[in-house]
Amino acid sequence: MKTPILSLLIILALFGSCVSNKQTQPATDYTQLVNPFIGTDFTGNTYPGTQAPFGMVQLSPDNGLPGWDRISGYFYPDSTIAGFSHTHLSGTGAGDLYDISFMPVTLPYQEAEAPLGIYSKFSHADEEASAGYYRVLLKDYNINVELTATERCGIQRYTFPKGESAIFLNLKKAMNWDFTNDSYIEIVDSCTIQGYRFSDGWARDQHVYFRTRFSKPFASVDIDTTAIQLKGKRVGTAYIARFNFDTTEGEQIVLSTALSGVSMEGAAKNLAAEASHNDFDKYLAEAKDNWNRQLGKIEITGDNRDDKVNFYTALYHTMIAPTIYSDVDGLYYGPDKKIHQTDGWVNYGTFSLWDTFRAAHPLLTYTEPERVNDMVKSFIAFYEQNGRLPVWNFWGSETDMMIGYHAVPVIVDAYLKGIGNFDAEKALEACVATANLDNYRGIGAYKKLGYIPYNMNDEYNAENWSLSKTLEYAFDDYCIAQMAQKMGKTQLADEFYKRSQNYKNVYNPASGFMQPIDDKGIFIQNFSPDDYTAHICESNGWHYFWSV
């Protein structure tokens, strides 16, 4: 019986990526081995739309309804589409983004009560997706929609029937945790618009600017504005625009939309740099080439296509985030709500570090060392602007979701592997400063007692998950010690080696498990490693038994 020979070929491919910088186009079309629908059912919370590797734009359909199953905007069992928005989160449990949402229709169009609004039915039989490409037929209008993307631009191609047609841009609509604070649409010329959407949600005070070019002049424009009220006070204006066209059978209109976190001018620069033409097929080919170069860094063999699809889709998902978060000129919007300039490096955001430091980031040190260097520089800049390293940040906002200070192992892994030219002294300073924030999530108790007690969360600002935090902090401290040791800072290394031994303080020899402990040093009673409790983060005693 033949079995896939995964490990050896992965090792060889990764080793090769370290000794050669040559980027040759692989003979295999790996984009066809990616199934973006994986994870769109049940609670996978992925989206099927299109994106360049690590791209700022995630252009994907939205079903138009809120809810846990639609955290990423799309839920496979649904039958409606209510827009194609340019930002999405993948695999998270927090619903935000869905920015700059376009919806093509023919007149008269279908509209339901809020929250669905303008929509169309669709069928999975008329839908397809691969790395860098998405297509769906809007059944109610017989409009074929195709999507592709560059790093900072989303490219849409609508194929219309003959008749009166329109394209809606709805900056008012918000789903799940998101809320529109303010928005704006400006007509630049008969083919070009620009504007912004400011919102609050999981990302606080999020700023998204855009510039969109239509391949055909719109015959007319209708713009509707309404006041946005919050707690009885007007906070901004909601814009909804309708761009009207007379279309012939099979006529295609291409929309190219660039995003920026900085300004409308920044979005215009991104559009000019990355999508200056209306040639959808050109940008699709570039997206496929880009994905093939990335996915082709690891080659596997075997006779089972499902195994290959699972593997390359998983590899694809490692390149959905982190995401580029600076314009082509290096400007970006920081956590201090100010505009900053990179010095030749690319700023990144969307760091789900508790989820990714164990496996995804170590993988990237082999497949994406140049990006890892820029990611560490992004961490350092975030520290300088926010006073501590990121925990779970995106679009210039720290969400503080999950636990630990896990930017630390990402930095240390890169340093110990000799990756990049980031400032190691500043990086270590950021690690130590973050690890010593006594009023942050139980760190003070951890330093004073050698663990976080489960019964004094309020006093130590520890919230919950005391056992998990103790173990996560101990690991991060060990990483700091390793970096300090390598840099010849013996005293600092000794301090953090000692702190890293705190894991022993939550080990109960009587039960054989890591176990929650109170401020008197007494282990919690009736502990079962099978239980999911407030003291252990999204897992149980069995998982954290293997933490060290």
Side-chain angles (χ1 to χ4, degrees):
M1 181 179 70
K2 292 184 178 180
T3 58
I5 308 172
L6 296 179
S7 301
L8 177 61
L9 286 170
I10 290 173
I11 291 170
L12 291 175
L14 292 177
F15 178 76
S17 73
C18 295
V19 298
S20 174
N21 291 321
K22 291 182 180 180
Q23 290 288 336
T24 58
Q25 188 63 36
T28 302
D29 186 358
Y30 294 99
T31 67
Q32 300 305 304
L33 293 173
V34 172
N35 179 5
F37 293 108
I38 289 177
T40 61
D41 202 346
F42 301 100
T43 56
N45 290 343
T46 63
Y47 54 85
T50 183
Q51 179 179 359
F54 304 97
M56 179 189 291
V57 166
Q58 306 89 38
L59 180 56
S60 189
D62 296 318
N63 297 131
L65 297 171
W68 170 261
D69 292 323
R70 300 168 188 85
I71 288 293
S72 291
Y74 180 98
F75 185 43
Y76 195 82
D78 280 350
S79 59
T80 60
I81 287 177
F84 300 88
S85 59
H86 284 73
T87 61
H88 293 84
L89 291 166
S90 179
T92 67
D96 199 356
L97 300 184
Y98 329 106
D99 296 285
I100 321 303
S101 177
F102 288 91
M103 180 66 183
V105 300
T106 55
L107 306 183
Y109 52 83
Q110 303 284 348
E111 186 170 13
E113 292 184 2
L116 182 58
I118 298 170
Y119 73 94
S120 174
K121 293 283 189 178
F122 80 103
S123 168
H124 295 305
D126 298 317
E127 185 184 36
E128 62 178 298
S130 57
Y133 180 71
Y134 173 85
R135 183 192 68 81
V136 68
L137 179 69
L138 302 180
K139 293 175 65 175
D140 290 333
Y141 314 118
N142 195 30
I143 297 173
N144 190 62
V145 176
E146 297 172 281
L147 310 177
T148 191
T150 69
E151 288 182 340
R152 298 171 179 85
C153 302
I155 319 295
Q156 305 180 72
R157 180 165 65 187
Y158 305 148
T159 304
F160 287 92
K162 177 178 173 58
E164 294 180 83
S165 302
I167 299 172
F168 281 89
L169 171 57
N170 190 337
L171 301 185
K172 178 181 181 180
K173 187 169 185 175
M175 293 191 297
N176 292 313
W177 299 18
D178 197 27
F179 179 82
T180 304
N181 284 332
D182 194 17
S183 64
Y184 177 68
I185 296 174
E186 174 184 321
I187 308 302
V188 178
D189 56 42
S190 62
C191 293
T192 312
I193 63 172
Q194 63 184 9
Y196 57 78
R197 180 175 183 267
F198 299 164
S199 61
D200 267 314
W202 196 27
R204 269 81 73 180
D205 194 25
Q206 181 196 1
H207 290 189
V208 180
Y209 299 87
F210 72 94
R211 188 176 180 101
T212 298
R213 185 185 64 251
F214 295 74
S215 63
K216 177 182 180 178
F218 26 86
S220 62
V221 182
D222 301 307
I223 295 181
D224 176 58
T225 61
T226 56
I228 299 174
Q229 301 283 338
L230 184 64
K231 297 180 180 178
K233 295 182 179 180
R234 178 169 182 162
V235 295
T237 304
Y239 273 75
I240 302 174
R242 178 177 133 179
F243 304 92
N244 301 302
F245 302 87
D246 291 319
T247 56
T248 59
E249 183 66 32
E251 182 174 0
Q252 294 183 330
I253 298 178
V254 175
L255 274 65
S256 302
T257 300
L259 301 188
S260 169
V262 175
S263 65
M264 292 184 289
E265 292 76 17
K269 289 180 182 179
N270 292 341
L271 185 65
E274 295 187 2
S276 59
H277 305 287
N278 297 320
D279 189 344
F280 180 90
D281 291 327
K282 173 181 182 293
Y283 297 116
L284 174 59
E286 290 176 356
K288 290 185 63 174
D289 287 347
N290 196 349
W291 276 113
N292 271 318
R293 283 192 298 272
Q294 299 295 333
L295 296 165
K297 292 179 178 179
I298 300 178
E299 182 181 356
I300 64 172
T301 61
D303 299 327
N304 190 319
R305 180 177 173 83
D306 286 346
D307 285 346
K308 292 183 177 181
V309 168
N310 285 337
F311 178 85
Y312 284 108
T313 304
L315 185 60
Y316 166 82
H317 281 142
T318 69
M319 293 180 272
I320 294 298
T323 57
I324 292 169
Y325 187 58
S326 54
D327 292 345
V328 291
D329 59 6
L331 292 175
Y332 67 95
Y333 178 65
D336 55 359
K337 310 308 177 187
K338 298 178 182 178
I339 305 302
H340 299 273
Q341 174 77 59
T342 68
D343 181 20
W345 51 278
V346 176
N347 187 52
Y348 285 83
T350 318
F351 287 102
S352 178
L353 288 160
W354 184 83
D355 303 284
T356 57
F357 83 93
R358 296 173 176 85
H361 280 286
L363 173 65
L364 296 180
T365 64
Y366 293 102
T367 59
E368 303 285 345
E370 291 183 1
R371 292 188 198 270
V372 169
N373 185 38
D374 284 354
M375 289 174 190
V376 174
K377 291 182 178 181
S378 301
F379 288 165
I380 294 171
F382 196 92
Y383 159 71
E384 291 175 332
Q385 297 154 24
N386 197 51
R388 55 186 169 91
L389 290 168
V391 176
W392 210 130
N393 74 309
F394 69 117
W395 281 91
S397 177
E398 176 57 82
T399 70
D400 281 314
M401 182 69 75
M402 308 314 298
I403 60 174
Y405 26 93
H406 293 318
V408 167
V410 178
I411 292 170
V412 175
D413 193 20
Y415 176 73
L416 294 179
K417 289 174 179 172
I419 289 174
N421 61 353
F422 61 87
D423 185 337
E425 291 286 346
K426 178 63 71 172
L428 182 61
E429 173 194 313
C431 293
V432 173
T434 302
N436 281 321
L437 295 173
D438 289 351
N439 63 345
Y440 186 79
R441 294 187 162 182
I443 291 177
Y446 170 81
K447 290 168 60 178
K448 179 180 178 181
L449 303 176
Y451 60 89
I452 300 175
Y454 70 82
N455 64 328
M456 298 185 71
N457 292 341
D458 292 338
E459 180 175 339
Y460 288 108
N461 194 27
E463 301 152 336
N464 54 9
W465 298 335
S466 61
L467 178 69
S468 299
K469 287 175 179 174
T470 299
L471 292 168
E472 304 271 4
Y473 293 159
F475 175 79
D476 292 341
D477 289 346
Y478 181 79
C479 294
I480 293 174
Q482 291 273 291
M483 185 172 181
Q485 189 71 43
K486 183 72 178 291
M487 294 174 67
K489 301 178 184 295
T490 305
Q491 184 174 348
L492 184 64
D494 289 345
E495 175 189 344
F496 277 89
Y497 276 131
K498 182 179 179 180
R499 276 178 55 162
S500 75
Q501 301 306 299
N502 284 344
Y503 79 89
K504 298 177 181 178
N505 298 330
V506 294
Y507 177 71
N508 185 357
S511 68
F513 285 92
M514 305 294 179
Q515 196 165 321
I517 189 171
D518 68 14
D519 61 310
K520 301 296 193 297
I522 300 174
F523 288 104
I524 197 168
Q525 299 297 305
N526 302 316
F527 173 76
S528 169
D530 297 339
D531 293 342
Y532 286 75
T533 76
H535 314 303
I536 302 176
C537 180
E538 296 188 2
S539 51
N540 63 18
W542 282 106
H543 297 118
Y544 271 93
F545 177 79
W546 303 106
S547 172
V548 178

